[in-house]
Amino acid sequence: MKKTAACFALCLCLTIALAARAPQQAPQPKPEDVLKNLVLVENIQPVPEKMKAGFEAITGKDSVTLLSYISSDLLEGRETATRGFELAAEYAASLFSLWKLKPAGDAPGIPAGRRALAAFGPGGSQGMSPQEKTFLQGLALKETLDGSTEISLESRAGSTVKSRIFSPGIDFAGEGVPNETVEAPVVFAGYGIIEKEIGYNDFKGLDVKGKIVLILTEAPGKNDPKSPFQLNKELKEKYFPAAPRFPFRRGGFNKLQEIDKLGPAAVLQVAAYGKDSDLFKQMSAPARPFSDERPTNEPRRRLALPGGGRMPFERFMGITISREMANAILESTGQKIEDLQKKIDAATKPASMEIPGARLSVRTVSSSKLVQCRNVLGFIEGSDPVLKNEVVVVGAHLDHLGRRGDYIFNGADDNGSGAVGVMNLARAFAANPQKPKRSVLFCLWTGEEEGLLGSRYYVRNPAFPLEKTVAYLNLDMISRPYDEAALERASRMFNIPAGKDLVKKITPADFLAVSFSAGDGLADILKEANQHVGLDLFLRESSGRSGRDMGGSDHSSFASVKIPWMFCIAAMTEDYHQTSDSVEKVSGELMEKISRLNYLAAYALADR
Ligand SMILES: [Zn+2]
């Protein structure tokens, strides 16, 4: 599809949707509890002899060497199901073979999925001996290329029927669900908010099931300090989040997802604050070459696991419409969107209503096909004749955003660094003469940037039975050290009480926040491992089981099948998802320390 509008429209929606996705902080733990989770090491202890060889095989210098190739222009940003990714996967598989790991992927020549199932029965290639396998686990993905969305309005007044067609990139930004047409009556639901604690409910007495819902973005009273949405700190943070200076945190409140639970056919948003000219400027702006938007002449490409349930992009993300279009839809009510907004804001009281005689149709046409991609899987076998059938899994995504015209997203930190971390551990365990009792499986995932596709596929097609999988360690972005500013931001985000003596002892460059599932004894494993590494660790026990409260990376796939998990992520920087995320900015020293920490933690889990 040609229209630039679609790309920028999507970014606009995303921008607005993100505005609606204020980072919902988990309830803030008390400062003294937070301090308990800060682990500083006065004197680094020597590593136990039996794990020493592997530990010392991990070096910052080798990490940067591996990363220089993985994040080179040659691999074109390693986008899922592209040549660049395949080159990276083959490279990793050849190193796994060089280090004498055992393959845990598909049988040679046998494509993945259903045919493997047919060929080898329910366990797929699980029951096969390693020498009959490869290091690559193939998966089929559904590729959907951007289509075009057309919205038309039919308004009935008595015997008169008026139709109007709205144009993408002029009247609205964003698109509907690929290859779906929705036609339904329309209702106006104010800001689309339900906040019981202040007795505010835009949906009271309004039936939105199967209807198209028109709402305003954000919330009432943005510029009114006396508004309940301003006076209540949580609501203010939720609906008017201070614009994050650095990449947003995934997860948290999402107004559209909340409304989606009420079962509407579609949601149209009109910007509550700001002018139509802003929307038009956005929609007509040329693509920013270095950004991860696709150049104008390239349709956007999205991937999904076939039969894997609807992906976020296959559910309604909301379309942003101009005020002019909103007023055309509201015509039969005799009211304008501006008047309705003023009415609501004046008393912080809803003004929701059915829009008599109005029916909208949202029709989206796009093209889809199946493509193939692969995870890389290799393992070292445990030394115990029984426990070797149990496994500790260590993983990281190898894919990134690819290229946009001449601009390549090298993804050195995201997630070339994590992939190198997994390679570091694979080589270390292979080099370490004494193997732990249980086996250790090393995984490089595809499709994380597209929705955790590779790891979600794996937990449905595991190389080792899930009930024999004792833990999963995830590495994502482990190469950028904190600096004072980043640490200050992180302290705020983690509610670490600034100014306390202990906090003053933190060395930003050694700071690492590690998240992990609750109740699996992982905090002790980390504390013990860190005695031999000396990072300034901040332990974040996850309150949820989904793992999403600690960042949406591949550990969430394992959390979803209730496998204990650990997740390491270093500093978030301005280079996140930018073409500027390149190897010369990484710290080999930090990669060495985080890899060594995970090596010792994985060894302890596999040997206990
Ligand atoms: Zn990542």
Side-chain angles (χ1 to χ4, degrees):
M1 82 152 269
K2 284 211 58 41
K3 226 169 223 325
T4 53
C7 314
F8 304 115
L10 175 82
C11 314
L12 178 69
C13 306
L14 279 179
T15 327
I16 291 177
L18 288 168
R21 285 174 75 167
Q24 185 95 3
Q25 299 286 7
Q28 293 301 3
K30 290 195 280 317
E32 55 279 11
D33 297 339
V34 170
L35 288 178
K36 264 202 318 269
N37 299 326
L38 208 47
V39 183
L40 307 185
V41 178
E42 300 291 331
N43 306 309
I44 294 177
Q45 305 301 312
V47 175
E49 200 49 40
K50 73 173 181 179
M51 353 170 159
K52 197 161 180 227
F55 183 88
E56 285 168 356
I58 298 172
T59 70
K61 187 169 170 305
D62 293 351
S63 301
V64 175
T65 304
L66 288 167
L67 186 55
S68 302
Y69 175 70
I70 291 277
S71 63
S72 64
D73 283 356
L74 206 60
L75 301 191
E76 299 182 307
R78 310 181 307 278
E79 186 172 358
T80 299
T82 67
R83 182 173 170 280
F85 181 88
E86 294 306 313
L87 285 172
E90 292 285 351
Y91 172 68
S94 63
L95 288 174
F96 281 9
S97 175
L98 200 62
W99 298 329
K100 304 282 179 289
L101 267 65
K102 293 179 186 267
D106 301 332
I110 300 285
R114 297 197 192 299
R115 276 182 257 158
L117 204 60
F120 300 99
S125 60
Q126 218 174 65
M128 293 173 61
S129 60
Q131 60 276 8
E132 292 165 298
K133 292 182 179 177
T134 67
F135 287 102
L136 297 160
Q137 178 189 45
L139 52 152
L141 298 173
K142 185 170 98 174
E143 177 189 72
T144 300
L145 294 180
D146 251 4
S148 70
T149 293
E150 188 185 85
I151 302 180
S152 53
L153 168 69
E154 189 193 83
S155 28
R156 248 170 225 287
S159 58
T160 317
V161 179
K162 206 162 68 169
S163 300
R164 178 164 171 183
I165 294 183
F166 300 104
S167 311
I170 300 173
D171 299 311
F172 65 88
E175 77 262 340
V177 175
N179 300 323
E180 194 175 79
T181 298
V182 169
E183 207 227 309
V186 196
V187 296
F188 172 65
Y191 287 88
I193 290 173
I194 301 174
E195 287 298 345
K196 292 202 176 73
E197 68 197 87
I198 59 166
Y200 184 92
N201 179 357
D202 277 314
F203 295 99
K204 194 156 182 260
L206 195 68
D207 168 21
V208 301
K209 206 162 181 40
K211 300 197 177 127
I212 295 180
V213 179
L214 171 60
I215 61 164
L216 290 153
T217 59
E218 301 180 84
K222 185 171 187 172
N223 308 317
D224 169 10
K226 291 198 292 316
S227 156
F229 284 90
Q230 292 288 344
L231 296 171
N232 178 309
K233 186 169 164 294
E234 284 226 357
L235 291 182
K236 185 173 179 185
E237 178 52 37
K238 187 173 175 182
Y239 292 104
F240 308 115
R245 234 170 39 73
F246 61 100
F248 50 88
R249 236 170 27 93
R250 284 190 190 168
F253 172 70
N254 182 323
K255 191 200 276 188
L256 293 172
Q257 265 164 13
E258 293 308 309
I259 296 173
D260 198 27
K261 293 174 187 155
L262 302 171
V267 180
L268 304 182
Q269 311 184 84
V270 56
Y273 306 97
K275 302 183 285 307
D276 263 1
S277 52
D278 302 337
L279 179 63
F280 298 140
K281 235 185 298 173
Q282 274 271 355
M283 290 197 284
S284 56
R288 290 172 299 139
F290 53 84
S291 88
D292 60 359
E293 288 149 17
R294 286 193 187 273
T296 47
N297 55 4
E298 264 184 53
R300 199 161 43 120
R301 170 185 188 250
R302 287 164 298 166
L303 295 167
L305 280 173
R310 282 208 157 167
M311 290 292 285
F313 74 81
E314 291 177 308
R315 303 178 63 77
F316 216 94
M317 281 283 279
I319 284 181
T320 302
I321 68 173
S322 66
R323 285 166 178 265
E324 191 192 336
M325 179 173 167
N327 288 332
I329 295 170
L330 287 163
E331 199 176 313
S332 65
T333 68
Q335 305 198 62
K336 290 202 173 304
I337 190 77
E338 295 80 359
D339 310 329
L340 289 167
Q341 182 180 3
K342 278 202 198 88
K343 203 165 146 193
I344 298 170
D345 287 12
T348 317
K349 208 159 151 289
S352 304
M353 61 181 155
E354 307 259 339
I355 303 177
R359 286 183 75 78
L360 276 173
S361 144
V362 181
R363 183 167 172 274
T364 302
V365 182
S366 19
S367 66
S368 297
K369 67 176 182 188
L370 285 182
V371 294
Q372 279 265 340
C373 203
R374 303 172 305 162
N375 292 327
V376 185
L377 310 179
F379 72 102
I380 59 108
E381 193 162 53
S383 57
D384 181 281
V386 178
L387 289 177
K388 73 176 182 179
N389 298 317
E390 293 188 7
V391 71
V392 171
V393 182
V394 179
H397 73 93
L398 181 59
D399 68 298
H400 193 47
L401 302 172
R403 65 181 307 154
R404 303 286 177 275
D406 300 336
Y407 291 84
I408 295 176
F409 292 79
N410 298 103
D413 185 40
D414 187 12
N415 187 27
S417 65
V420 166
V422 169
M423 291 178 194
N424 282 341
L425 269 73
R427 189 167 71 144
F429 276 97
N432 197 71
Q434 214 169 332
K435 307 303 182 209
K437 298 186 185 92
R438 294 176 182 80
S439 299
V440 184
L441 174 68
F442 307 95
C443 307
L444 296 168
W445 310 120
T446 188
E448 190 272 353
E449 303 286 6
E450 306 282 344
L452 315 180
L453 304 180
S455 59
R456 284 172 56 212
Y457 179 84
Y458 175 84
V459 294
R460 285 193 208 121
N461 305 275
F464 285 76
L466 294 183
E467 60 280 9
K468 299 272 186 192
T469 303
V470 296
Y472 173 69
L473 282 61
N474 192 48
L475 302 175
D476 198 340
M477 301 169 63
I478 62 166
S479 70
R480 302 293 297 270
Y482 282 82
D483 57 17
E484 291 290 341
L487 186 58
E488 200 266 322
R489 277 197 302 266
S491 306
R492 255 204 333 269
M493 200 155 92
F494 303 149
N495 198 37
I496 297 176
K500 292 266 187 249
D501 300 352
L502 187 61
V503 176
K504 289 194 187 115
K505 288 196 191 132
I506 295 177
T507 313
D510 282 338
F511 182 77
L512 177 71
V514 185
S515 318
F516 51 92
S517 53
D520 302 310
L522 298 173
D524 297 337
I525 295 264
L526 282 163
K527 284 179 189 160
E528 165 42 35
N530 194 41
Q531 295 307 313
H532 311 287
V533 176
L535 284 161
D536 293 351
L537 271 194
F538 181 60
L539 303 180
R540 306 181 66 213
E541 186 168 65
S542 162
S543 51
R545 288 301 290 180
S546 77
R548 284 192 179 286
D549 59 330
M550 296 297 175
S553 181
D554 293 296
H555 59 286
S556 307
S557 301
F558 287 79
S560 71
V561 288
K562 305 207 169 14
I563 288 172
W565 56 270
M566 217 187 268
F567 171 38
C568 286
I569 182 167
M572 257 295 183
T573 70
E574 311 285 347
D575 301 315
Y576 174 72
H577 281 200
Q578 302 298 312
T579 51
S580 51
D581 175 2
S582 41
V583 70
E584 70 280 354
K585 296 184 177 158
V586 308
S587 158
E589 195 197 341
L590 184 63
M591 290 172 73
E592 174 185 306
K593 286 182 177 172
I594 297 176
S595 299
R596 285 180 170 192
L597 179 80
N598 280 271
Y599 165 75
L600 295 174
Y603 201 110
L605 286 162
D607 208 41
R608 66 179 175 173

